[in-house]
Amino acid sequence: MNIKKSILTCMLMLGFVSASAQEPQDAPEFVFNPHWYVQVQGGVQHTLGELSFGDLISPNAQLTLGYQFDEVIGARLAVNAWQSKAGSDYGNLGKWDWKWKYVAPTVDLTANLSNLFCGFNPNRVFNLSIFAGIGANIGFDNDDAAAAKTEILKIHDYTKTLNAPMEYCWDGSKARFVGQAGIMADFRLSDAVSLGLELAANTLSDKYNSKRAKNADWYFNGLLGLKINLGDAYVAWQPGMKFRRGLFNRQPRVVEKVVEKKVEVEKIVEKPVYIDKIVEVEKKQEPLRRDVFFTINSSRIDPTEGQKIEDIVAFLRLNPAAKVTVTGYADKGTGNAKINERLGKNRAQVVADRLVKQYKIDRSRIIIDSKGDTEQPFAENDKNRVTICIAE
């Protein structure tokens, strides 16, 4: 009898271990993390003109500092520079070409089309984006153009005709407005690094290439280089795990699976043996409170207080059913009741606006309230210049 009991107990233990090993693991949840990035690129430029394509190719380089606000929208400051070329073929009089240098800083808005149409996936190998922006093109060292104009006039004096060659020839340095648009293809190498290919079209005034053509001048850049994220582009969360690192230094969402298994072995073998089913218990999430403080007579959010708003954002994103109550206050020791009523409303509204506009939190999840100076949540007067946010 003892041998039979021992064999039965071993079989039950093996079954228990097997069941535990086969429990499905929760897939991680990827949460986008706003982040800065830098990009260094090199390539070529082609300037539209009358000469052959190869005659108007120049070296080109670009340094970019950007910020990705969410999965789709970003902004960047790009400084493009090096050299442009132009030229003209005057038939029997000969063919001339010239080059000059430039620096072109631009500010662009970017849109990640892959995330827009296919959803956010930080492990996607290929991402396609578009961009558009404005800036200034600062040209200098145009001596080649001046020399070409001199040689052309030696052959034929066009100054007495209406169609003078290189009528817009300039010297010194010239700054002109430039508009640009293009596409970017990023190939993921790691979480932090991607290989980027960029094609951009740039347009500016007719006077850029020293020739009068009665239409805008154009140049096109083809660039290849590395894009490096400054910080984590996302955080990966699993039940029972904390966020890895980066801008979101959050507490984990408190939803844990508690598995209880009981094995009851009766002394009498004839009685059945029961294995209780898995019991899943969801622990109640505690409310999250953050106090956003303001300076005297101000409703502007200080940069040092921005992290507190991001804490609320992380909580709301990880708890889709949660809402946040945003309540504004003013200190009773300053101003009067009417002024403080306005300050309280403004302080609550500015926090709510940032949640909606910058972090895309639905307005239906935000409850806005204001107490002015009718309530003082803190004993210290200055601390009552505050918006108290409670998410639950």
Side-chain angles (χ1 to χ4, degrees):
M1 183 66 69
N2 290 335
I3 295 176
K4 290 182 179 179
K5 290 182 180 179
S6 299
I7 293 174
L8 179 58
T9 302
C10 290
M11 292 177 66
L12 290 171
M13 292 179 65
L14 288 173
F16 173 75
V17 172
S18 175
S20 299
Q22 293 176 8
E23 288 179 0
Q25 298 296 317
D26 291 325
E29 176 183 348
F30 296 119
V31 181
F32 174 81
N33 191 24
H35 59 279
W36 292 91
Y37 64 86
V38 294
Q39 193 167 24
V40 180
Q41 299 165 291
V44 295
Q45 178 187 109
H46 170 69
T47 310
L48 279 185
E50 293 81 11
L51 301 185
S52 65
F53 183 88
D55 289 335
L56 296 176
I57 294 293
S58 304
N60 192 242
Q62 184 166 287
L63 178 63
T64 302
L65 174 64
Y67 187 77
Q68 196 67 31
F69 296 100
D70 59 25
E71 295 92 335
V72 176
I73 301 300
R76 68 178 195 172
L77 170 64
V79 180
N80 184 269
W82 205 329
Q83 181 178 285
S84 289
K85 280 187 177 180
S88 285
D89 189 345
Y90 292 97
N92 295 334
L93 298 180
K95 181 175 70 174
W96 279 267
D97 62 78
W98 53 93
K99 59 183 180 293
W100 64 100
K101 296 182 178 63
Y102 76 94
V103 174
T106 58
V107 176
D108 305 317
L109 285 177
T110 65
N112 188 314
L113 300 183
S114 298
N115 285 342
L116 176 63
F117 294 108
C118 303
F120 176 62
N121 180 5
N123 295 319
R124 184 182 292 119
V125 175
F126 172 78
N127 282 278
L128 182 66
S129 303
I130 58 175
F131 64 91
I134 58 174
N137 181 296
I138 305 167
F140 57 96
D141 197 8
N142 198 35
D143 295 341
D144 281 3
K149 180 178 181 179
T150 300
E151 293 300 316
I152 294 170
L153 291 176
K154 285 181 181 179
I155 298 174
H156 186 82
D157 186 4
Y158 279 86
T159 58
K160 298 178 181 179
T161 69
L162 296 177
N163 189 25
M166 303 180 67
E167 181 179 347
Y168 291 154
C169 184
W170 50 272
D171 58 8
S173 60
K174 298 292 182 182
R176 300 177 177 89
F177 171 85
V178 62
Q180 73 164 356
I183 59 174
M184 298 180 292
D186 290 322
F187 299 87
R188 180 181 181 274
L189 302 180
S190 69
D191 280 355
V193 181
S194 59
L195 181 65
L197 173 64
E198 178 177 323
L199 299 175
N202 300 264
T203 183
L204 25 61
S205 77
D206 187 23
K207 297 183 179 182
Y208 182 61
N209 64 7
S210 297
K211 299 183 301 179
R212 182 182 181 185
K214 298 182 180 180
N215 54 256
D217 290 337
W218 289 81
Y219 63 82
F220 303 87
N221 297 330
L223 298 161
L224 182 67
L226 292 178
K227 178 180 178 181
I228 303 172
N229 295 328
L230 304 179
D232 288 341
Y234 69 96
V235 288
W237 177 88
Q238 281 183 318
M241 293 175 59
K242 290 187 176 182
F243 286 125
R244 297 183 304 171
R245 55 190 178 83
L247 186 61
F248 286 120
N249 293 318
R250 316 295 189 209
Q251 295 296 320
R253 179 172 56 181
V254 186
V255 179
E256 301 175 355
K257 291 185 177 179
V258 179
V259 180
E260 297 180 355
K261 295 184 178 64
K262 297 179 181 178
V263 179
E264 297 181 358
V265 181
E266 296 290 345
K267 291 183 179 180
I268 302 175
V269 177
E270 287 78 8
K271 289 187 177 181
V273 178
Y274 298 97
I275 301 178
D276 289 350
K277 65 179 180 179
I278 297 175
V279 180
E280 294 189 359
V281 180
E282 181 172 309
K283 297 175 68 175
K284 184 179 179 181
Q285 174 69 295
E286 293 297 326
L288 175 68
R289 170 173 168 167
R290 291 292 183 266
D291 300 336
V292 181
F293 293 101
F294 296 82
T295 58
I296 187 171
N297 198 32
S298 172
S299 56
R300 184 182 65 84
I301 299 174
D302 192 277
T304 59
E305 299 295 294
Q307 181 66 42
K308 298 176 181 178
I309 298 177
E310 290 172 4
D311 289 342
I312 297 295
V313 172
F315 184 98
L316 294 175
R317 286 177 175 170
L318 292 177
N319 297 276
K323 293 188 177 184
V324 59
T325 301
V326 179
T327 307
Y329 296 84
D331 68 288
K332 205 164 188 176
T334 306
N336 54 50
K338 184 176 181 180
I339 293 174
N340 290 337
E341 179 184 5
R342 173 179 55 81
L343 273 175
K345 290 180 179 179
N346 290 345
R347 286 167 177 168
Q349 190 64 52
V350 74
V351 172
D353 287 346
R354 177 168 293 191
L355 289 171
V356 173
K357 295 177 181 178
Q358 183 168 337
Y359 296 104
K360 312 304 179 187
I361 301 299
D362 195 291
R363 284 193 181 273
S364 64
R365 302 179 66 189
I366 304 171
I367 302 170
I368 302 175
D369 193 11
S370 174
K371 303 298 183 184
D373 63 8
T374 60
E375 293 184 14
Q376 301 289 274
F378 296 99
E380 184 179 339
N381 179 71
D382 292 355
K383 285 189 175 182
N384 293 307
R385 304 160 189 159
V386 67
T387 293
I388 296 178
C389 307
I390 300 178
E392 56 185 340

